[in-house]
Amino acid sequence: MDTILVANSGSSSVKFQVFATGPDGGLERQVRGQVDGIGTHPRLRATDTDRKVLVERSLDNQTVPDVQAALIAAGNWLRDELRIAPVAIGHRVVHGGPLFERPVRVDSGVLQQLEKYVPLAPLHQPYNLAAIRSVLARFPDIPQVACFDTAFHRGHGELADRYAIPQDLYAEGVRRYGFHGLSYEYIASILPQVAPEIASTRVIVAHLGSGASMCALQARRSVESTMGFTALDGIPMGTRPGQIDPGVVLYLMSEKGMSPADAQAFLYHECGLKGLSGISNDMRELENSSDPRAQFAIDYFAYRVALNAGMLAAAMQGVDGFVFTAGIGENSPKVRAAIAARLAWLGVSLDPGANARNEQRVSRYESRTPAYVVRTDEELMIARHTVTLLAPGPHPSQYEKAS
Ligand code: AMP
């Protein structure tokens, strides 16, 4: 049985999963793990599919100083202690820019192209690519596949893809890309099984996690997203504000003396639920707090999600189904109820019992717009892409030029 390693490399952690490929092309998850605390106190932790802990140990900060070394350390542990030698690695890469409309096998030319998108996602792209680069240097024979958060949205029409700014900026890549594409693609792939009545209709998917966005799916294709050029736009997140007047950023720089780096750190790390509540970026903590600022942050979150649902409904000229996913969407009856209450005018009516039990269908039988909770699985999506791309046979060309 072959195994595929899936890697999601960030600034201070590398999350990884191992999938075994079955003879029928199916994929079975075997290991979930991560190295976190990179740069300070790196720790390796992994569990099997029954959540049994396979390893939990500190790593030497000198030997594992960065994300590259962390991925190699995880690979060594898999090989030495579990006898797992992956035949390929699928990587989450946040930005595929205007060029990459689908996953791609990475060679040095592709890597060079992807480096150009570092300024478009400075907090994620460098680490995603560093991991790929180090494997390419040490194990050039292991095929690596880059799967992009932007790719699923690349089919957007020009109206959805543009800002009202001069054409030359659009040509150089200042576009409304949209993110969380691997999550939306997975949801779109399983809608026919989990929600057949809405699968081929107009569906709003709300990916509500620490990062959050929403996507308009028409017949399972993305036609509009709340995120744009970067993953700052759209609805509020744990520490990011979501949509904000660019004038506020100018004010921070001109009146508050913030440099571009200061403004970047502020917008990515100090805003959203954290900034608004002054308590926490974590929805669970806010729900458990009796501080009125926590309740306000939850109300605000639900309000902005509902406002954006109106925008996405307008993009599709209606909506036939609503899907909640990711940490908050999958697990918080309270937030789902607060959002649904604001979507009554769009025909959403939750069944309080089904919602409290986190059932798959959370709307009443008579709800004009059915609402579902669907667990997302971005890692499985990456593993699927990796297997498909490396299977023998014809594949679409690596580069798909966007106009
Ligand atoms: P994610 O980034 O998808 O892992 O989602 C993380 C977010 O989901 C955090 O804000 C968590 O507080 C939130 N979350 C996870 N479980 C629950 C829960 N049972 N109730 C409310 N929020 C939750």
Side-chain angles (χ1 to χ4, degrees), residues 74-318:
N76 289 345
W77 170 74
L78 287 170
R79 184 195 59 207
D80 297 341
E81 296 187 28
L82 298 191
R83 306 271 164 243
I84 289 175
V87 296
I89 307 178
H91 295 266
R92 180 180 194 167
V93 176
V94 71
H95 223 300
L99 222 49
F100 294 97
E101 297 193 335
R102 53 177 64 94
V104 63
R105 183 165 172 177
V106 186
D107 57 21
S108 55
V110 169
L111 202 52
Q112 227 176 350
Q113 183 62 42
L114 294 176
E115 301 277 1
K116 293 191 187 149
Y117 306 141
V118 165
L120 306 191
L123 300 187
H124 298 99
Q125 192 89 344
Y127 306 102
N128 304 157
L129 300 186
I132 298 179
R133 199 179 310 107
S134 82
V135 175
L136 200 59
R138 284 164 175 250
F139 307 104
D141 296 333
I142 297 187
Q144 299 192 84
V145 172
C147 300
F148 305 103
D149 270 316
T150 48
F152 186 61
H153 303 295
R154 292 309 302 140
H156 285 184
E158 208 179 356
L159 289 177
D161 198 34
R162 292 187 77 142
Y163 289 109
I165 55 173
Q167 158 73 25
D168 49 353
L169 282 167
Y170 176 76
E172 77 178 56
V174 184
R175 303 178 183 205
R176 293 190 62 240
Y177 292 100
F179 296 86
H180 295 129
L182 292 159
S183 174
Y184 296 126
E185 190 178 9
Y186 174 76
I187 301 284
S189 78
I190 57 159
L191 271 189
Q193 283 137 264
V194 298
E197 64 178 319
I198 58 167
S200 55
T201 64
R202 298 164 298 183
V203 177
I204 293 174
V205 185
H207 177 109
L208 310 177
S210 326
S213 72
M214 295 161 72
C215 176
L217 285 183
Q218 209 154 4
R220 298 197 289 139
R221 289 172 156 264
S222 168
V223 295
E224 182 55 276
S225 156
T226 57
M227 276 183 169
F229 179 57
T230 68
L232 281 174
D233 205 359
I235 54 180
M237 292 163 248
T239 58
R240 290 170 257 168
Q243 182 193 9
I244 192 166
D245 182 341
V248 174
V249 184
L250 298 177
Y251 176 84
L252 293 173
M253 296 174 78
S254 64
E255 302 302 316
K256 295 288 173 189
M258 284 193 187
S259 67
D262 296 337
Q264 176 173 288
F266 176 77
L267 292 168
Y268 276 95
H269 301 302
E270 301 301 330
C271 298
L273 297 173
K274 179 183 173 189
L276 195 58
S277 68
I279 297 168
S280 173
N281 63 323
D282 190 288
M283 188 59 89
R284 242 172 318 197
E285 276 185 46
L286 295 178
E287 287 190 8
N288 291 331
S289 167
S290 54
D291 191 315
R293 294 173 305 163
Q295 185 56 49
F296 179 77
I298 296 172
D299 290 347
Y300 182 86
F301 184 74
Y303 174 63
R304 300 300 306 193
V305 169
L307 274 187
N308 279 269
M311 177 185 87
L312 297 181
M316 298 189 288
Q317 295 292 288

